[in-house]
Amino acid sequence: MSGATIWLTGLPSAGKTTIARALAARLSDEGHRVEVLDGDEVREFLSAGLGFSREDRDTNVRRIGFVAQLLAAHGVKVLVPVIAPYADSREAVRGHHQRRGTGYLEVHVATPVEVCSARDVKGLYAKQAAGELSGLTGVDDPYEAPADPDLRIEAHAQTVAESAGALHALLAGRGLA
C-alpha cells in the first residue's frame, strides 16, 4: 500500500486532531499503516525550544513535514493535524514531498473563528481574551487559509464521522484508501 501525507490545517480548536484520529482509526481497521503527527505532541518533542515567531513556526512546520515525508515514503498514511498558519511554509512541505515523489494532500478544516473560540478546547481563546496570551493564530496573529486545498471540510456543519468520511472518500478517490 502506498503512503501519503495528509496535512490538516486550520485554526486552533477547528477539529483537526479529532478528524485525524477518527480517520486514523478507520484506516487502521482497513489494514493501513497509519501515524498521526499531532502538532502539540511534535512541538513538545521534536521542536522543543521553538517559540511562536514566524521563523519558529516555519521551522516547526518544515520539521514535521520532513518526518511526515519519511514515513509516507515508507508506505505510511501520515495524518498531520497542525495549524501551519503560513501558506509558504505549507507550500515548502508540499514541494519537499513532490521532489521525492511522495503523495501529499492538503485539507483545510474551515471552522470559523467564532466556533473555534466557543469550543476553546485548550483554553487559548479565553487566555487571549483575558490578555494572558498574545499571538493566537486567527485572532491576533495571521492565518493564511489555503486558496486551493485538495479538500475543504466545514467541520462545524457536520459530525466528526461525516468529516472523516469526506476525507476517506478523497483518499479512496486518489487510490490511497
Side-chain angles (χ1 to χ4, degrees), residues 51-60 85-89 141-142 144:
F52 291 91
S53 68
R54 184 178 179 109
E55 295 76 24
D56 283 357
R57 288 177 192 241
D58 182 64
T59 297
N60 184 50
Y86 303 111
D88 59 346
S89 297
D141 208 57
E144 299 169 356

Side-chain angles (χ1 to χ4, degrees), residues 103-163:
Y104 179 89
L105 299 172
E106 183 178 68
V107 178
H108 180 208
V109 181
T111 306
V113 68
E114 301 81 23
V115 175
C116 295
S117 179
R119 289 179 180 168
D120 205 8
V121 177
K122 299 172 203 156
L124 298 175
Y125 293 93
K127 287 180 183 175
Q128 191 277 336
E132 301 168 15
L133 175 74
S134 63
L136 181 59
T137 301
V139 177
D140 59 356
D141 208 57
Y143 176 74
E144 299 169 356
D148 190 28
D150 295 284
L151 178 64
R152 191 174 316 275
I153 295 175
E154 307 278 339
H156 60 291
Q158 57 192 28
T159 66
V160 172
E162 289 168 336
S163 295

Side-chain angles (χ1 to χ4, degrees), residues 4-52:
T5 295
I6 300 95
W7 197 286
L8 293 89
T9 179
L11 296 173
S13 297
K16 300 176 300 296
T17 300
T18 303
I19 294 166
R21 294 204 186 284
L23 179 61
R26 181 171 177 180
L27 291 171
S28 182
D29 288 347
E30 293 173 355
H32 296 275
R33 294 172 52 211
V34 183
E35 288 294 334
V36 176
L37 296 181
D38 179 67
D40 293 331
E41 293 172 3
V42 171
R43 187 172 270 281
E44 180 180 350
F45 297 105
L46 183 64
S47 295
L50 290 180
F52 291 91

